[in-house]
Amino acid sequence: MKSILNQSRQRLDHVRAIRRELHRHPEIGADLPRTRALVLRELNRLGLDVRENVGGGIVADLHGPDEASGGMIALRADMDALPVQEETGLDFASQIPGQAHVCGHDAHTAMLLGAAALLADLRDQLPTGVRFLFQPNEENQPGGARFMVEAGCLDGVREVYGLHVWPGRPAGWFGTRPGPLMARPDVFGVTLRGKGGHASAPHQCVDPVLAACHLVTQLNTIVSRRVPPGERAVLSVTRLDAGTGYNIIPETAFLQGTVRTLSSSTGDMIEEAMRTMTDAVGAGMGVQAEFDYVRGFPVVDNDPAAAAKAARVLGGMSEMVEGNIDPVMAGEDFSHYQRKVPGCFVFMGCGPCAADGRGGLHSSCFCLDEDCLPWGVAALAALALDRG
Ligand code: NI
């Protein structure tokens, strides 16, 4: 597997050029015309069997032996950027105001194209066919993966793998785990309707601000008092809007936030507890409470055999492989593929971050160490070439 790494290092210039081209021209959401054109241009050079629109994504097949009976290996990259004003000062920084690749999806796309090129050269060594999935709209619920799966992008596939750059670790580091790796990211909103009026006469009003304060405090008891101590869960109220002036009791207060869980039963329990509490606070304080809850992507749940394969294959390439890292509470729609076929999601080091610590994922200062690119290309290719 060391030779795969050497071969992918020889391709660094091309992969880096693709990554920088994507980085200069980030696109957001489901509609990524310029990004798609670049991906298609590269894929068409390789003589793959390309389908331009499968549920909104691009699917390319590199055919190999036994794929009809045994199934193909699928490798996935996401392609979308974020609504962030880049502040890295890089000479290939985003040329589009208010949009930037600050989650590394430019690198994911470039690395998967690099792996496709490498594997096309090594097609005689393939144990089975390889399917490359280029997905839009990972950053927005309900995500792009679901629609690609519904459109059949995994038909004939037996295993799926995906990578995400990880800024806290150096190039060459890989981390994954069997079982839940990333959370179900749910979103909630509560509107509390009272009766507005003069701040000097609260007895003539129904104060939604006070009700909101009680509710925020009560919601924060759910994780500490209702979730079993060994289980991970996060409930964050992140937004509280109410009022227009110091002497006016407003009509309404609005709060919003997110719940993160690693099992759907815990997520469902928290949702139910929140609903009950919201109703109770509303009734107790005389405000009308409207509770809105949207379940996010499913949990990224790595198949044990696929996670063991990833740890073994990557361990043959790098000494910095951790096969049982802690789960993280961010979400990823890679989970939609895993609901259809067994698969494993892997983090790959792309540090160091900006020295002041502001350079994490989704930060305006996010930048990655491009030395990680050949590692990612090699990792994807090695997963497809493995016969174990
Ligand atoms: Ni991302």
Short mmCIF file of all heavy atoms in Angstrom, two decimals, residues 78 103 105 108 138-139 164 332 362, ligand 1:
data_model
loop_
_atom_site.label_atom_id
_atom_site.label_comp_id
_atom_site.label_asym_id
_atom_site.label_seq_id
_atom_site.Cartn_x
_atom_site.Cartn_y
_atom_site.Cartn_z
N ASP A 78 -18.34 14.93 -1.24
CA ASP A 78 -19.31 16.01 -1.32
C ASP A 78 -18.64 17.22 -1.98
O ASP A 78 -17.42 17.37 -1.92
CB ASP A 78 -19.92 16.35 0.05
CG ASP A 78 -18.89 16.38 1.16
OD1 ASP A 78 -17.68 16.35 0.87
OD2 ASP A 78 -19.30 16.45 2.33
N CYS A 103 -15.23 23.89 4.51
CA CYS A 103 -15.41 22.57 5.12
C CYS A 103 -14.58 21.53 4.37
O CYS A 103 -14.72 20.33 4.59
CB CYS A 103 -16.88 22.17 5.17
SG CYS A 103 -17.22 20.86 6.38
N HIS A 105 -14.69 20.54 1.26
CA HIS A 105 -15.32 19.70 0.23
C HIS A 105 -14.62 19.86 -1.12
O HIS A 105 -14.71 18.97 -1.96
CB HIS A 105 -16.83 20.00 0.12
CG HIS A 105 -17.59 19.75 1.40
ND1 HIS A 105 -18.95 19.83 1.47
CD2 HIS A 105 -17.17 19.42 2.64
CE1 HIS A 105 -19.34 19.56 2.72
NE2 HIS A 105 -18.29 19.32 3.45
N HIS A 108 -12.21 17.17 -0.86
CA HIS A 108 -12.86 15.85 -1.02
C HIS A 108 -13.09 15.53 -2.51
O HIS A 108 -12.84 14.42 -2.97
CB HIS A 108 -14.22 15.84 -0.30
CG HIS A 108 -14.14 16.11 1.18
ND1 HIS A 108 -15.24 16.41 1.94
CD2 HIS A 108 -13.08 16.13 2.03
CE1 HIS A 108 -14.87 16.60 3.20
NE2 HIS A 108 -13.57 16.45 3.27
N GLU A 138 -24.41 18.80 0.78
CA GLU A 138 -24.25 18.10 2.06
C GLU A 138 -24.57 19.02 3.23
O GLU A 138 -25.00 18.57 4.28
CB GLU A 138 -22.80 17.57 2.18
CG GLU A 138 -22.59 16.63 3.36
CD GLU A 138 -22.43 17.32 4.69
OE1 GLU A 138 -21.80 18.38 4.74
OE2 GLU A 138 -22.96 16.83 5.70
N GLU A 139 -24.36 20.33 3.03
CA GLU A 139 -24.43 21.25 4.16
C GLU A 139 -25.84 21.66 4.55
O GLU A 139 -26.01 22.36 5.54
CB GLU A 139 -23.60 22.52 3.84
CG GLU A 139 -22.11 22.26 3.63
CD GLU A 139 -21.37 21.96 4.94
OE1 GLU A 139 -22.01 21.91 6.00
OE2 GLU A 139 -20.15 21.76 4.87
N HIS A 164 -13.58 12.66 5.42
CA HIS A 164 -13.72 14.09 5.71
C HIS A 164 -12.42 14.60 6.30
O HIS A 164 -11.86 13.97 7.19
CB HIS A 164 -14.87 14.35 6.68
CG HIS A 164 -15.39 15.76 6.55
ND1 HIS A 164 -14.63 16.87 6.86
CD2 HIS A 164 -16.57 16.25 6.10
CE1 HIS A 164 -15.34 17.97 6.61
NE2 HIS A 164 -16.52 17.62 6.14
N GLU A 332 -23.67 14.45 9.39
CA GLU A 332 -23.18 14.22 8.01
C GLU A 332 -24.21 13.38 7.29
O GLU A 332 -24.69 12.39 7.85
CB GLU A 332 -21.89 13.42 8.07
CG GLU A 332 -20.66 14.04 7.45
CD GLU A 332 -20.64 14.13 5.93
OE1 GLU A 332 -21.50 13.52 5.27
OE2 GLU A 332 -19.76 14.81 5.42
N HIS A 362 -15.69 25.20 8.99
CA HIS A 362 -16.74 26.23 8.91
C HIS A 362 -16.26 27.60 9.38
O HIS A 362 -17.05 28.54 9.46
CB HIS A 362 -18.02 25.83 9.67
CG HIS A 362 -18.73 24.65 9.08
ND1 HIS A 362 -20.08 24.43 9.22
CD2 HIS A 362 -18.27 23.62 8.34
CE1 HIS A 362 -20.42 23.30 8.59
NE2 HIS A 362 -19.31 22.80 8.05
NI NI B 1 -18.10 18.91 5.59
#
